[in-house]
Amino acid sequence: MATVSLAYDLHEPPTPVADKQTAPIIVMHGLFGSKKNNRTISKVLARDLGRHVYAVDLRNHGDSPHNDRHDYPAMAADVADFIRQHGLKDSTLIGHSMGAKTALALALHEPDLVADLVAVDNAPVDVRLGSDFARYIQAMKKIDAADVTRQAEADKILEPYEKSLAVRQFLLGNLHRSADGDGKTQKFRVPLPILAKALDHLGDFPFKDPGEVRFLKPALFVRGTKSKYVPDEVIPLIGQFFPKFELVDIEAGHWVISENPEAFRQAVIRFLEPKE
């Protein structure tokens, strides 16, 4: 499988824990996100745990290369490659949404590369993606066609499609001044046609049978209490794929890390701190 070389930001701890030099945390964003969404939490975890934190851009997002294939086996292979290229051992994976399914797929496929993981508001199940994502792409294509020069113009086009200002700002974080234009026009850096095609199977999970494959190391599943992504009925399946799992509910919607960063920080630190 052709992999792409992932762009990343490395957040180094002020006082590294000696035996954790090569045992990093790798943080993965969700659909339409990028490494810059995880800058704050990455810095905080580096500080509090004394570990190096790599915030990566998954393929077709942020500064990472574009590729026609956009599914979980491909994204997991990219991250596996990243771990090998950087000579990392005992990595902790933290992923939100699409990043969570990428982490889960990688842990099941190549458990030797992963020490433990934190899956934020997603689970190892097939679900239909909400229609809001298709709506966002429709709006983003409109913005691209409008040759906007200011974010406020883009926001006006997006508003009828998404009422929440926070979600609109998150999506518009993908705009940049395109080098091939007049230097003023803003375009989306994510490849909208590729992601539009991928939407139908981004709700899928590549592993179907926990009788065939399991991850026997610690896994933390974090749910937003106001989110529908991890309903109670999927908890038994989580336990079959990830028998050493813990579940934490955090007062938040789907965007758990940005909506309730302190509760998320505490849950992750409790999970990752060395057990006596």
Side-chain angles (χ1 to χ4, degrees):
M1 186 187 308
T3 57
V4 307
S5 189
L6 301 179
Y8 67 95
D9 286 336
L10 172 58
H11 301 277
E12 298 192 28
T15 45
V17 176
D19 61 342
K20 291 290 187 187
Q21 277 301 99
T22 56
I25 298 170
I26 299 169
V27 185
M28 291 165 275
H29 57 81
L31 184 56
F32 301 127
S34 74
K35 60 186 182 310
K36 63 176 195 236
N37 303 128
N38 291 318
R39 191 175 290 149
T40 306
I41 192 68
S42 297
K43 283 182 173 162
V44 165
L45 292 176
R47 179 197 73 198
D48 292 353
L49 292 164
R51 293 171 65 179
H52 286 67
V53 180
Y54 293 85
V56 299
D57 280 336
L58 297 173
R59 61 170 56 201
N60 296 316
H61 285 74
D63 298 319
S64 284
H66 296 173
N67 187 288
D68 282 340
R69 182 168 175 184
H70 193 85
D71 56 28
Y72 293 113
M75 287 186 273
D78 292 341
V79 180
D81 243 30
F82 180 87
I83 290 171
R84 290 193 182 95
Q85 278 168 9
H86 290 267
L88 307 176
K89 303 263 185 298
D90 300 326
S91 299
T92 293
L93 305 181
I94 298 180
H96 170 251
S97 199
M98 178 181 80
K101 274 193 170 162
T102 301
L104 298 173
L106 175 53
L108 290 172
H109 187 55
E110 299 200 60
D112 293 351
L113 293 180
V114 183
D116 46 29
L117 66 89
V118 180
V120 187
D121 217 48
N122 218 334
V125 288
D126 291 347
V127 291
R128 278 198 64 73
L129 269 200
S131 59
D132 41 0
F133 287 109
R135 230 177 34 240
Y136 297 157
I137 285 186
Q138 206 185 340
M140 290 159 90
K141 283 180 172 172
K142 256 193 185 168
I143 291 166
D144 261 356
D147 288 338
V148 301
T149 55
R150 288 166 46 248
Q151 192 153 323
E153 299 166 52
D155 189 55
K156 198 169 271 173
I157 297 170
L158 185 54
E159 194 173 1
Y161 295 84
E162 173 53 63
K163 292 291 167 255
S164 159
L165 176 62
V167 174
R168 294 204 306 276
Q169 285 174 333
F170 164 72
L171 293 170
L172 296 175
N174 287 290
L175 280 174
H176 71 133
R177 297 201 186 284
S178 62
D180 52 355
D182 53 11
K184 293 188 187 135
T185 306
Q186 296 196 26
K187 300 280 182 192
F188 284 103
R189 69 171 75 225
V190 289
L192 295 171
I194 292 173
L195 295 179
K197 254 196 351 242
L199 278 186
D200 277 350
H201 53 249
L202 272 184
D204 298 348
F205 189 67
F207 296 94
K208 309 299 179 198
D209 182 3
E212 283 174 12
V213 59
R214 312 172 94 185
F215 181 71
L216 299 172
K217 300 177 205 175
L220 175 67
F221 285 75
V222 178
R223 302 192 287 185
T225 50
K226 302 177 199 138
S227 171
K228 58 184 189 321
Y229 277 81
V230 189
D232 288 348
E233 56 267 26
V234 308
I235 294 173
L237 185 65
I238 291 174
Q240 289 171 329
F241 276 120
F242 298 90
K244 290 182 77 173
F245 87 103
E246 297 171 36
L247 181 68
V248 169
D249 285 339
I250 284 179
E251 192 62 32
H254 180 55
W255 312 95
V256 179
I257 302 173
S258 58
E259 289 178 43
N260 200 336
E262 180 51 23
F264 179 74
R265 182 191 75 84
Q266 287 178 17
V268 170
I269 286 177
R270 217 171 20 244
F271 174 68
L272 290 179
E273 269 183 338
K275 310 285 185 274
E276 293 311 322

